[in-house]
Amino acid sequence: MSDWAVVTENLVKKFPQRAQAAEKTEAKKKSFWPFGKKEPRPMFTAVDGVNLQIKRGEIFGLLGPNGAGKSTTIRMLCTLLEPTSGRAAVNGFDVVKQANEVRRSLGTVLAGERSIYWKLSGRENLTYFAALNHIPPAVAKKRVDDLIERMELKERADELVEKYSTGMRQRIAISRALLARPPILLLDEPTLGLDPQAARNLRELIVDLQKEGHTILLTTHYMEEADQLSDRIGIIDTGKIIALDTPEGLKQRIDQAEVIRLEVSGWDDKIGAQLRSVAGVDTLTPRKLEQDSQWEISLQTANSRAILPVVVEKVNHNGTRLLNMNIVRPTLEDVFINLTGKALRD
Amino acid sequence: MESTTLARTGVISNLRALQAVISREWTIFMRYPSWIISLFIWPLIFPMAYLLTARAFSGPDNTGLLQFQAATGQSEYIGFIAIGTMIWMWQNVVLWNVGFALRNEQHRGTLESNWMAPTWRFAFLLGSSVPQLVSMLLMLGVSTLEYTLFFGVRFEGSLWLSLLVILFAIPPIYGLGFTFASLVITAREANAFVFLVRGVVMIFCGITYPIAVLPGWMQAIAAWLPQTYIIRAFRTAALSASSFDAIAPDLLMLALFGAFWLCLGYTIFKWMERRARQTGAIGQY
Ligand SMILES: Nc1ncnc2c1ncn2[C@@H]1O[C@H](COP(=O)(O)OP(=O)(O)OP(=O)(O)O)[C@@H](O)[C@H]1O
Ligand SMILES: [Mg+2]
């Protein structure tokens, strides 16, 4: 048995560029024959040389913004996509050469709630996927009952999935991944679209699953989630892992730094430019808040005391008003900003 | 941790997975009531236009029929048209249903969760066509009954020979469906192709007229289409008392076509499966 649950070496995935995107770069002739267009299409690199070593029994969080390559990495690990180059092994099996062994070692939940049949009941879904996972019928029946019980879906198990809430669908999708008791779980944005309560329950479930011995690789673009759940975190951006450490380790990297968090109403990029040029300001990232015309501005600096007066003076200009201000310890969000110069969520 | 997984992989478990795909598809099929329309109503409505045209052309004293009889050796023109349209409908429904089976799963988002399982992937295509085949056989039976009851068609041939023709018709019709299903996953303009194929079948295979009326070059093309043989053999077997020898050459051709299209369907499926893994095509919707 391999020491690592998941290993990737220089994993790369390139896609033929999507039609619309390609059209921008070259005038394309439209042909009626849709198969085997021969001219080489421009390629887009979604995953760009990723190296990961995930320990047995750990929760590993892959944290990154939209389009970073998280889902593409997961799809290569669960054999839905073939790497363009590089290598990946799951449970010691090569994802290309031993695809079937990899599939037997994994339970995967891809993002979105469409991975199960809405015209079947929860129980019918699980029974169906149990057969696909080659679980003997007698064992399967008990296993399905147990999972339904565990996920607190007993009362609704025989209703059609289309009548379920998003949280219930996600629990069926996770049950589907757990059916064969695979040692490794891949969860792609598991809490996406869930209400806060359902998301909290799901995070508790993930922790429980780890206690039961599962290795878990999860992706997320919520830094609180990655921080709270993960033993180690890989930060991924434009297909590359730009930092990999424990949550504490990551935060320590910018430990000397402090973050000034400003809440303002009305924002002018000119003020941003002015503040950036103030000596002692390392980075500045504005983020629009839910409320109309309110912004949260994060400033990283080595010494907040020295620059506070200047900051306050420069902010109250041109209709921009300071509403609130905090000096806080850096979060993973700030780590991300520090590494990439942009916010995790736009 | 309970360290071993519950999966027990082997031939039997792959067959069980195939059976699970079949019963899944059947359950979902029965939950959409639209099948009633395709089963009972379509077979009646679809050939109507052709039948009425034929009736008009046959003239008040049926003199037109004499010529038809001379060209086809059949006097039962309604049955003649009904069989042609039945086979056409069968192929058409297979193109839409079997042909779009994977595409629809792709749209629903379930294709990827199926393909993550350690199961023989062709089982998903094969399995979803079985309930479709059962419903089509029912459709053929119901149509035959309806034509007898409402149009007074006399199917005076042999039931067993007719069933034999249907049996031989399955491989080429479904082989074409499998080929389609695989192409449709990676190609966008799929609908255009269904229209093309069913148009070709409609014109070249003589669904409402004997092929003999076609110009030579069109007859040459018709000879390459299995539907031509299915329709001809079915008419021979069902409409008038005929011997096995009368349909044997057509059955032989159907066996060859069947082998060809099933092999092609499987090959294209394997090609698509690999291509989709490289381009990510199965996840796009
Ligand atoms: N099948 C595909 N064909 C072409 N491009 C693709 C394909 N799948 C993904 N991409 C592109 O690759 C990039 C990475 O996508 P990916 O889905 O891995 O990102 P992600 O990190 O999961 O982001 P998100 O938070 O949006 O889910 C994106 O720019 C996406 O448009
Ligand atoms: Mg994603």
Side-chain angles (χ1 to χ4, degrees), chain A residues 1 9 81 83 91 152 159 185 212 236 273 307 314 344:
Chain A
M1 197 155 84
E9 282 166 20
L81 283 176
N91 205 15
E152 291 162 22
E159 278 176 44
L185 300 175
E212 287 160 33
I236 183 168
I307 64 166
K314 293 215 187 273
L344 195 50

Side-chain angles (χ1 to χ4, degrees), chain A residues 65-72 74-75 110-111 188-189 192 219 221:
Chain A
N66 288 119
K70 304 182 295 290
S71 302
T72 306
I74 297 279
R75 280 194 170 82
L110 294 179
D188 193 8
E189 313 239 14
L192 192 72
T219 76
H221 62 269

Side-chain angles (χ1 to χ4, degrees), chain A residues 13 34-35 75 80-82 100 103-104 110 114-115 117 119 124 128 132-134 180-181 212-213, chain B residues 1-2 5-9 24 31-32 105 108-109 112-114 118-119 121 187 189 277-278 280:
Chain A
K13 183 69 204 177
F35 312 118
R75 280 194 170 82
L80 285 176
L81 283 176
E82 216 165 82
N100 253 322
R103 288 181 207 141
R104 276 200 291 274
L110 294 179
R114 289 256 164 204
S115 65
Y117 291 88
K119 279 279 167 197
E124 285 167 340
Y128 167 67
L132 292 196
N133 280 291
H134 297 172
R181 272 201 203 117
E212 287 160 33
Chain B
M1 139 140 208
E2 311 131 303
T5 74
L6 296 176
R8 298 283 170 274
T9 290
R24 174 210 80 200
R31 277 176 193 163
Y32 284 103
E105 295 251 8
R108 271 186 268 168
E112 289 191 306
S113 41
N114 281 332
T119 282
R121 285 181 177 170
E189 293 87 344
R277 249 181 297 149
Q278 285 159 354

Side-chain angles (χ1 to χ4, degrees), chain A residues 50-332:
Chain A
V50 162
N51 292 295
L52 293 175
Q53 291 179 321
I54 298 176
K55 291 177 204 148
R56 288 191 184 275
E58 82 174 328
I59 297 184
F60 189 95
L62 203 53
L63 174 70
N66 288 119
K70 304 182 295 290
S71 302
T72 306
T73 306
I74 297 279
R75 280 194 170 82
M76 282 191 277
L77 293 177
C78 71
T79 76
L80 285 176
L81 283 176
E82 216 165 82
T84 308
S85 65
R87 203 183 73 85
V90 172
N91 205 15
F93 301 113
D94 186 275
V95 294
V96 178
K97 297 193 199 86
Q98 297 165 294
N100 253 322
E101 284 80 359
V102 169
R103 288 181 207 141
R104 276 200 291 274
S105 308
L106 279 178
T108 307
V109 182
L110 294 179
E113 44 179 344
R114 289 256 164 204
S115 65
I116 50 175
Y117 291 88
W118 286 30
K119 279 279 167 197
L120 296 180
S121 71
R123 188 188 307 278
E124 285 167 340
N125 264 292
L126 292 182
T127 309
Y128 167 67
F129 282 106
L132 292 196
N133 280 291
H134 297 172
I135 303 171
V139 184
K141 189 174 178 319
K142 170 125 194 353
R143 183 72 180 143
V144 169
D145 285 343
D146 288 351
L147 282 166
I148 286 172
E149 178 93 46
R150 164 163 200 185
M151 299 288 169
E152 291 162 22
L153 289 167
K154 207 162 176 197
E155 277 78 52
R156 311 277 306 271
D158 295 306
E159 278 176 44
L160 296 191
V161 164
E162 64 186 2
K163 304 212 174 91
Y164 286 9
S165 68
T166 307
M168 293 168 71
R169 286 185 199 126
Q170 185 65 322
R171 276 180 276 157
I172 291 287
I174 291 182
S175 307
R176 175 184 63 69
L178 292 175
L179 276 165
R181 272 201 203 117
I184 301 160
L185 300 175
L186 307 179
L187 309 177
D188 193 8
E189 313 239 14
T191 59
L192 192 72
L194 298 189
D195 62 65
Q197 178 63 40
R200 200 169 321 124
N201 292 343
L202 187 54
R203 285 195 285 268
E204 278 165 21
L205 174 68
I206 291 173
V207 172
D208 288 345
L209 289 171
Q210 179 192 30
K211 285 189 193 132
E212 287 160 33
H214 293 281
T215 306
I216 298 164
L217 168 58
L218 66 87
T219 76
T220 179
H221 62 269
Y222 302 123
M223 49 129 196
E224 300 92 347
E225 184 167 288
D227 196 354
Q228 183 195 336
L229 286 176
S230 316
D231 297 309
R232 288 192 305 148
I233 292 174
I235 297 183
I236 183 168
D237 185 41
T238 58
K240 293 191 182 71
I241 300 282
I242 52 177
L244 196 160
D245 208 335
T246 59
E248 288 66 38
L250 285 173
K251 282 182 257 179
Q252 265 162 24
R253 292 191 183 194
I254 55 168
D255 207 22
Q256 311 85 328
E258 289 171 319
V259 177
I260 306 176
R261 210 95 66 221
L262 307 170
E263 247 178 79
V264 298
S265 86
W267 179 246
D268 186 346
D269 275 333
K270 279 192 208 121
I271 303 178
Q274 280 188 7
L275 284 175
R276 277 198 190 93
S277 65
V278 171
V281 173
D282 293 339
T283 68
L284 178 143
T285 344
R287 180 161 71 91
K288 191 142 182 24
L289 297 177
E290 312 278 281
Q291 298 98 319
D292 260 355
S293 76
Q294 292 201 6
W295 292 73
E296 183 188 83
I297 317 295
S298 302
L299 275 163
Q300 288 183 9
T301 172
N303 187 349
S304 57
R305 278 157 199 268
I307 64 166
L308 257 186
V310 195
V311 169
V312 173
E313 183 205 311
K314 293 215 187 273
V315 160
N316 281 314
H317 255 294
N318 280 350
T320 299
R321 254 182 342 109
L322 185 59
L323 301 175
N324 198 354
M325 186 174 79
N326 283 305
I327 296 168
V328 293
R329 312 249 13 142
T331 64
L332 281 181

